[in-house]
Amino acid sequence: MNPFSYSRADTVHDAITALMSDPQAKLLAGGTNLVDLMKYDVVHPSAIVDISRLPLNQIEELPDGGLRIGALVSNSAVAYDPRVRRDYPLLTSAILAGASPQLRNVATTGGNLLQRTRCYYFYDPASPCNKREPGTGCPAIGGINRIHAVLGASDKCIAVHPSDMCVALAALAAVVEVEGPQGRRDIPFSEFHRLPGDHPEKDNTLSQREIVIAIRLEGGHLVNRGSYLKLRDRLSYAFALVSVAVAMQLIDDRIIELRVALGGVAHKPWRDILVEAEFAGAPADEATFGSIAERLLAGAQGRGGNDFKIPLARKAVVRALRQAATRRPADGPDRMPQ
Ligand code: SF4
């Protein structure tokens, strides 16, 4: 491990000032990913700025009936908040499908958004990797790529985003509040994470000098059905091979509004708003669910080891839509606690 300085920020302004004065500085909140990355010699910050005591640990009710979740609220606190469980049970299901209780007690909302890919090559400093060291290549293409992307990948990187929570936030059309030297701005969730393109070293659209402040969830309860389905190699403490979050408004068995986000298949939680719009007004039946799955996966491309994800994702989309439409809870550990 390389030497680094440690300081504690008392205000958001302090944290931003520290980022401005040292481009190699990293913010520490729960540390559940950053500390691993440092121990694996993947990242080498010159300074650690501890933001864990900033006043960003509240969940507030908004005038429109929505919620504003501070960036430092733990994943567990979000999952078990009675307002989240009542109005956004999809988010509770997704969070409880991820990590372990111990990790969820420490991991923060902001940190969940900023966690790095779990690509094996990324975590191995002896391997080339365009995300870790731009320009060195991507050994996952043509290598071991069972867990990698089938949508939106590039010839520079085929990594996937590992979060469960973010897949639900994408389906809930959340908004990310960030603050930097120029003040605060909102980033629609679908624009927060990015596809790899020619710059896979950039996971998101946050600038190096900005800090995540909060996540906002819309009120008004336009969505009356939701479901989160996670498929993985074992039933707990494993990242998704494929996951699906569905949020929709259903009236008289017709789809009024539809949002479907996929996890484990792309560099970001994957949504296709054109496909979603196509099915407004369609009957909520098996034929429609199958058509939605076909359309969402139409552009999918396997790389050999991950070819199985394409039919798996199609089936997962159908099952998640069926669960949402029939109000059947997810199976196994993804089931909401009573
Ligand atoms: Fe690196 Fe991305 Fe290739 Fe993995 S998929 S080795 S993270 S460039």
Side-chain angles (χ1 to χ4, degrees):
M1 191 181 284
N2 291 352
F4 56 88
S5 67
Y6 171 88
S7 63
R8 182 178 291 155
D10 293 324
T11 64
V12 171
H13 181 261
D14 284 353
I16 294 168
T17 302
L19 293 175
M20 288 171 67
S21 64
D22 183 352
Q24 303 306 317
K26 293 278 184 202
L27 302 180
L28 176 76
T32 55
N33 192 204
L34 177 62
V35 174
D36 275 353
L37 290 166
M38 292 171 70
K39 288 197 275 191
Y40 280 109
D41 208 18
V42 174
V43 298
H44 318 101
S46 53
I48 290 292
V49 182
D50 185 342
I51 59 167
S52 62
R53 301 196 187 180
L54 295 183
L56 302 173
N57 57 355
Q58 300 294 318
I59 301 179
E60 305 161 61
E61 293 174 26
L62 298 172
D64 72 349
L67 290 178
R68 182 175 183 272
I69 301 169
L72 292 175
V73 180
S74 74
N75 290 182
S76 295
V78 176
Y80 291 110
D81 183 278
R83 296 160 295 183
V84 173
R85 292 181 62 174
R86 181 190 66 208
D87 296 338
Y88 308 96
L90 159 62
L91 182 55
T92 293
S93 294
I95 293 172
L96 296 183
S100 65
Q102 293 86 348
L103 284 167
R104 294 193 295 263
N105 286 343
V106 177
T108 63
T109 300
N112 196 308
L113 269 61
L114 299 174
Q115 62 182 300
R116 308 298 309 272
T117 183
R118 263 56 181 190
C119 172
Y120 337 103
Y121 300 104
F122 177 72
Y123 279 83
D124 175 12
S127 296
C129 169
N130 284 329
K131 185 178 280 296
R132 182 170 23 81
E133 285 184 63
T136 57
C138 174
I141 298 175
I144 301 171
N145 52 36
R146 183 171 180 274
I147 64 171
H148 289 75
V150 294
L151 287 165
S154 75
D155 61 0
K156 299 287 192 298
C157 180
I158 58 171
V160 300
H161 195 268
S163 172
D164 291 289
M165 186 182 87
C166 289
V167 182
L169 290 174
L172 291 168
V175 172
V176 187
E177 284 181 32
V178 307
E179 186 167 332
Q182 313 302 327
R184 291 201 181 187
R185 67 182 177 119
D186 288 346
I187 307 177
F189 204 84
S190 59
E191 296 172 20
F192 184 81
H193 296 102
R194 57 184 298 284
L195 294 177
D198 289 335
H199 291 284
E201 72 278 10
K202 295 180 184 172
D203 291 347
N204 54 60
T205 54
L206 197 67
S207 92
Q208 182 271 332
R209 299 168 165 199
E210 287 179 312
I211 171 174
V212 175
I213 299 295
I215 301 287
R216 283 204 315 273
L217 297 171
E218 65 177 356
H221 311 301
L222 292 174
V223 167
N224 61 3
R225 304 294 171 93
S227 177
Y228 186 72
L229 174 67
K230 178 174 182 177
L231 304 178
R232 48 192 154 172
D233 283 325
R234 57 175 186 265
L235 272 180
S236 69
Y237 198 41
F239 293 99
L241 293 167
V242 171
S243 66
V244 184
V246 172
M248 64 180 170
Q249 173 80 351
L250 213 63
I251 296 179
D252 295 335
D253 291 331
R254 287 209 171 259
I255 297 170
I256 305 303
E257 182 175 352
L258 174 68
R259 299 190 211 120
V260 183
L262 278 77
V265 297
H267 200 255
K268 60 184 288 186
W270 183 266
R271 278 185 65 193
D272 188 328
I273 57 172
L274 295 178
V275 171
E276 292 170 0
E278 266 177 43
F279 290 89
D285 58 22
E286 290 293 311
T288 297
F289 301 158
S291 298
I292 293 170
E294 284 297 325
R295 293 281 292 112
L296 285 173
L297 274 301
Q301 180 192 0
R303 303 280 178 165
N306 64 352
D307 290 350
F308 74 100
K309 280 192 178 185
I310 300 172
L312 188 70
R314 281 197 200 98
K315 290 178 181 173
V317 168
V318 171
R319 189 167 138 198
L321 286 163
R322 188 187 302 132
Q323 282 179 182
T326 59
R327 295 184 190 274
R328 275 184 38 219
D331 306 320
D334 302 346
R335 188 177 181 126
M336 259 258 296
Q338 300 302 311

